[in-house]
mmCIF file of all heavy atoms in Angstrom:
data_model
loop_
_atom_site.group_PDB
_atom_site.id
_atom_site.type_symbol
_atom_site.label_atom_id
_atom_site.label_comp_id
_atom_site.label_asym_id
_atom_site.label_seq_id
_atom_site.Cartn_x
_atom_site.Cartn_y
_atom_site.Cartn_z
ATOM 1 N N TRP Z 321 124.649 88.466 82.229
ATOM 2 C CA TRP Z 321 124.975 88.204 83.643
ATOM 3 C C TRP Z 321 126.490 88.388 83.856
ATOM 4 O O TRP Z 321 126.873 88.837 84.795
ATOM 5 C CB TRP Z 321 124.571 86.712 83.989
ATOM 6 C CG TRP Z 321 123.045 86.658 84.180
ATOM 7 C CD1 TRP Z 321 122.185 86.184 83.304
ATOM 8 C CD2 TRP Z 321 122.425 86.981 85.444
ATOM 9 N NE1 TRP Z 321 120.888 86.224 83.890
ATOM 10 C CE2 TRP Z 321 121.050 86.695 85.166
ATOM 11 C CE3 TRP Z 321 122.768 87.569 86.627
ATOM 12 C CZ2 TRP Z 321 120.043 87.036 86.102
ATOM 13 C CZ3 TRP Z 321 121.766 87.770 87.606
ATOM 14 C CH2 TRP Z 321 120.411 87.565 87.351
ATOM 15 N N GLN Z 322 127.251 87.877 82.959
ATOM 16 C CA GLN Z 322 128.700 88.104 82.974
ATOM 17 C C GLN Z 322 129.112 89.551 83.047
ATOM 18 O O GLN Z 322 129.907 90.001 83.774
ATOM 19 C CB GLN Z 322 129.481 87.309 81.880
ATOM 20 C CG GLN Z 322 130.948 87.341 81.995
ATOM 21 C CD GLN Z 322 131.439 86.654 83.325
ATOM 22 O OE1 GLN Z 322 131.230 85.525 83.505
ATOM 23 N NE2 GLN Z 322 132.079 87.343 84.167
ATOM 24 N N ASN Z 323 128.413 90.281 82.091
ATOM 25 C CA ASN Z 323 128.765 91.721 82.091
ATOM 26 C C ASN Z 323 128.346 92.432 83.326
ATOM 27 O O ASN Z 323 129.039 93.339 83.838
ATOM 28 C CB ASN Z 323 127.895 92.337 80.885
ATOM 29 C CG ASN Z 323 128.392 91.828 79.482
ATOM 30 O OD1 ASN Z 323 129.561 91.424 79.340
ATOM 31 N ND2 ASN Z 323 127.534 92.073 78.477
ATOM 32 N N MET Z 324 127.166 92.061 83.901
ATOM 33 C CA MET Z 324 126.651 92.642 85.129
ATOM 34 C C MET Z 324 127.645 92.372 86.277
ATOM 35 O O MET Z 324 127.988 93.314 87.059
ATOM 36 C CB MET Z 324 125.285 92.075 85.451
ATOM 37 C CG MET Z 324 124.697 92.662 86.702
ATOM 38 S SD MET Z 324 124.371 94.438 86.728
ATOM 39 C CE MET Z 324 122.849 94.540 85.823
ATOM 40 N N GLN Z 325 128.142 91.045 86.397
ATOM 41 C CA GLN Z 325 129.170 90.766 87.364
ATOM 42 C C GLN Z 325 130.333 91.625 87.260
ATOM 43 O O GLN Z 325 130.839 92.069 88.314
ATOM 44 C CB GLN Z 325 129.312 89.313 87.377
ATOM 45 C CG GLN Z 325 130.406 88.901 88.327
ATOM 46 C CD GLN Z 325 130.416 87.486 88.737
ATOM 47 O OE1 GLN Z 325 129.843 86.978 89.718
ATOM 48 N NE2 GLN Z 325 131.133 86.650 87.925
ATOM 49 N N THR Z 326 130.755 91.790 86.025
ATOM 50 C CA THR Z 326 131.969 92.540 85.959
ATOM 51 C C THR Z 326 131.867 93.991 86.414
ATOM 52 O O THR Z 326 132.710 94.498 87.021
ATOM 53 C CB THR Z 326 132.379 92.523 84.343
ATOM 54 O OG1 THR Z 326 132.707 91.211 83.964
ATOM 55 C CG2 THR Z 326 133.627 93.332 84.066
ATOM 56 N N ILE Z 327 130.644 94.539 86.072
ATOM 57 C CA ILE Z 327 130.504 96.030 86.435
ATOM 58 C C ILE Z 327 130.448 96.072 88.004
ATOM 59 O O ILE Z 327 131.059 96.921 88.628
ATOM 60 C CB ILE Z 327 129.104 96.533 85.791
ATOM 61 C CG1 ILE Z 327 129.277 96.693 84.389
ATOM 62 C CG2 ILE Z 327 128.703 97.833 86.607
ATOM 63 C CD1 ILE Z 327 130.172 97.777 83.954
ATOM 64 N N LEU Z 328 129.831 95.120 88.623
ATOM 65 C CA LEU Z 328 129.695 95.096 90.062
ATOM 66 C C LEU Z 328 131.005 94.954 90.770
ATOM 67 O O LEU Z 328 131.359 95.535 91.878
ATOM 68 C CB LEU Z 328 128.660 94.099 90.541
ATOM 69 C CG LEU Z 328 127.283 94.251 90.202
ATOM 70 C CD1 LEU Z 328 126.423 93.183 90.604
ATOM 71 C CD2 LEU Z 328 126.643 95.648 90.752
ATOM 72 N N LEU Z 329 131.790 94.115 90.177
ATOM 73 C CA LEU Z 329 133.212 93.938 90.734
ATOM 74 C C LEU Z 329 134.064 95.138 90.473
ATOM 75 O O LEU Z 329 134.757 95.542 91.392
ATOM 76 C CB LEU Z 329 133.862 92.723 89.992
ATOM 77 C CG LEU Z 329 133.295 91.322 90.308
ATOM 78 C CD1 LEU Z 329 133.891 90.324 89.435
ATOM 79 C CD2 LEU Z 329 133.656 90.924 91.772
ATOM 80 N N GLU Z 330 133.904 95.788 89.379
ATOM 81 C CA GLU Z 330 134.704 97.024 89.162
ATOM 82 C C GLU Z 330 134.301 98.132 90.092
ATOM 83 O O GLU Z 330 135.085 99.010 90.476
ATOM 84 C CB GLU Z 330 134.428 97.548 87.681
ATOM 85 C CG GLU Z 330 135.177 96.642 86.689
ATOM 86 C CD GLU Z 330 134.759 97.079 85.216
ATOM 87 O OE1 GLU Z 330 133.962 97.992 85.060
ATOM 88 O OE2 GLU Z 330 135.406 96.522 84.313
ATOM 89 N N MET Z 331 132.962 98.197 90.455
ATOM 90 C CA MET Z 331 132.451 99.170 91.409
ATOM 91 C C MET Z 331 132.694 98.769 92.858
ATOM 92 O O MET Z 331 132.383 99.588 93.724
ATOM 93 C CB MET Z 331 130.969 99.374 91.222
ATOM 94 C CG MET Z 331 130.557 99.876 89.803
ATOM 95 S SD MET Z 331 128.775 99.991 89.632
ATOM 96 C CE MET Z 331 128.312 101.215 90.786
ATOM 97 N N ASP Z 332 133.361 97.630 93.038
ATOM 98 C CA ASP Z 332 133.669 97.095 94.397
ATOM 99 C C ASP Z 332 132.347 96.826 95.139
ATOM 100 O O ASP Z 332 132.487 96.786 96.470
ATOM 101 C CB ASP Z 332 134.580 98.151 95.116
ATOM 102 C CG ASP Z 332 135.396 97.411 96.265
ATOM 103 O OD1 ASP Z 332 135.691 96.183 96.072
ATOM 104 O OD2 ASP Z 332 135.678 98.033 97.275
ATOM 105 N N LEU Z 333 131.283 96.641 94.543
ATOM 106 C CA LEU Z 333 129.998 96.238 95.258
ATOM 107 C C LEU Z 333 130.043 94.705 95.525
ATOM 108 O O LEU Z 333 129.199 94.257 96.382
ATOM 109 C CB LEU Z 333 128.822 96.568 94.376
ATOM 110 C CG LEU Z 333 128.591 98.137 94.201
ATOM 111 C CD1 LEU Z 333 127.467 98.477 93.230
ATOM 112 C CD2 LEU Z 333 128.457 98.769 95.540
ATOM 113 N N MET Z 334 130.830 93.975 94.775
ATOM 114 C CA MET Z 334 131.104 92.580 95.036
ATOM 115 C C MET Z 334 132.586 92.377 95.215
ATOM 116 O O MET Z 334 133.378 92.937 94.536
ATOM 117 C CB MET Z 334 130.562 91.733 93.916
ATOM 118 C CG MET Z 334 129.033 91.599 93.804
ATOM 119 S SD MET Z 334 128.430 90.799 92.254
ATOM 120 C CE MET Z 334 129.435 89.297 92.313
ATOM 121 N N LYS Z 335 132.956 91.433 96.115
ATOM 122 C CA LYS Z 335 134.284 91.207 96.454
ATOM 123 C C LYS Z 335 134.927 90.181 95.629
ATOM 124 O O LYS Z 335 136.121 90.226 95.374
ATOM 125 C CB LYS Z 335 134.463 90.850 97.866
ATOM 126 C CG LYS Z 335 133.980 91.930 98.846
ATOM 127 C CD LYS Z 335 134.701 93.299 98.556
ATOM 128 C CE LYS Z 335 134.216 94.445 99.538
ATOM 129 N NZ LYS Z 335 134.846 95.720 99.298
ATOM 130 N N GLU Z 336 134.129 89.242 95.070
ATOM 131 C CA GLU Z 336 134.757 88.129 94.314
ATOM 132 C C GLU Z 336 133.664 87.597 93.326
ATOM 133 O O GLU Z 336 132.387 87.787 93.689
ATOM 134 C CB GLU Z 336 135.192 87.009 95.238
ATOM 135 C CG GLU Z 336 134.160 86.420 96.261
ATOM 136 C CD GLU Z 336 134.719 85.421 97.117
ATOM 137 O OE1 GLU Z 336 135.946 85.398 97.300
ATOM 138 O OE2 GLU Z 336 134.003 84.668 97.680
ATOM 139 N N PRO Z 337 134.002 86.944 92.290
ATOM 140 C CA PRO Z 337 132.965 86.493 91.303
ATOM 141 C C PRO Z 337 132.140 85.336 91.979
ATOM 142 O O PRO Z 337 132.578 84.551 92.876
ATOM 143 C CB PRO Z 337 133.842 85.947 90.201
ATOM 144 C CG PRO Z 337 135.195 86.566 90.321
ATOM 145 C CD PRO Z 337 135.372 86.873 91.812
ATOM 146 N N LEU Z 338 130.913 85.256 91.414
ATOM 147 C CA LEU Z 338 130.113 84.168 91.859
ATOM 148 C C LEU Z 338 129.888 83.168 90.799
ATOM 149 O O LEU Z 338 130.215 83.377 89.653
ATOM 150 C CB LEU Z 338 128.672 84.791 92.194
ATOM 151 C CG LEU Z 338 128.509 85.928 93.267
ATOM 152 C CD1 LEU Z 338 127.079 86.538 93.316
ATOM 153 C CD2 LEU Z 338 128.867 85.366 94.573
ATOM 154 N N ASP Z 339 129.344 82.036 91.176
ATOM 155 C CA ASP Z 339 128.943 80.967 90.166
ATOM 156 C C ASP Z 339 127.645 81.484 89.543
ATOM 157 O O ASP Z 339 126.535 81.255 90.246
ATOM 158 C CB ASP Z 339 128.844 79.664 90.832
ATOM 159 C CG ASP Z 339 128.531 78.528 89.784
ATOM 160 O OD1 ASP Z 339 128.217 78.938 88.667
ATOM 161 O OD2 ASP Z 339 128.508 77.398 90.241
ATOM 162 N N LEU Z 340 127.734 82.055 88.388
ATOM 163 C CA LEU Z 340 126.517 82.697 87.724
ATOM 164 C C LEU Z 340 125.472 81.584 87.381
ATOM 165 O O LEU Z 340 124.292 81.938 87.233
ATOM 166 C CB LEU Z 340 126.862 83.495 86.557
ATOM 167 C CG LEU Z 340 127.834 84.720 86.823
ATOM 168 C CD1 LEU Z 340 128.200 85.409 85.564
ATOM 169 C CD2 LEU Z 340 127.135 85.699 87.780
ATOM 170 N N THR Z 341 125.840 80.406 87.201
ATOM 171 C CA THR Z 341 124.906 79.355 86.778
ATOM 172 C C THR Z 341 123.871 79.133 87.914
ATOM 173 O O THR Z 341 122.847 78.540 87.679
ATOM 174 C CB THR Z 341 125.587 77.988 86.419
ATOM 175 O OG1 THR Z 341 126.308 77.555 87.588
ATOM 176 C CG2 THR Z 341 126.491 78.302 85.331
ATOM 177 N N LEU Z 342 124.184 79.564 89.111
ATOM 178 C CA LEU Z 342 123.278 79.367 90.294
ATOM 179 C C LEU Z 342 122.451 80.575 90.421
ATOM 180 O O LEU Z 342 121.410 80.543 91.171
ATOM 181 C CB LEU Z 342 124.126 79.148 91.608
ATOM 182 C CG LEU Z 342 124.971 77.943 91.563
ATOM 183 C CD1 LEU Z 342 125.820 77.799 92.875
ATOM 184 C CD2 LEU Z 342 124.220 76.670 91.263
#
Side-chain angles (χ1 to χ4, degrees):
W321 284 97
Q322 186 60 60
N323 294 342
M324 179 64 81
Q325 175 161 265
T326 298
I327 291 290
L328 294 177
L329 288 170
E330 289 176 353
M331 296 176 66
D332 204 29
L333 294 176
M334 288 172 50
K335 300 303 181 183
E336 58 186 22
L338 302 173
D339 182 351
L340 296 177
T341 64
L342 302 178

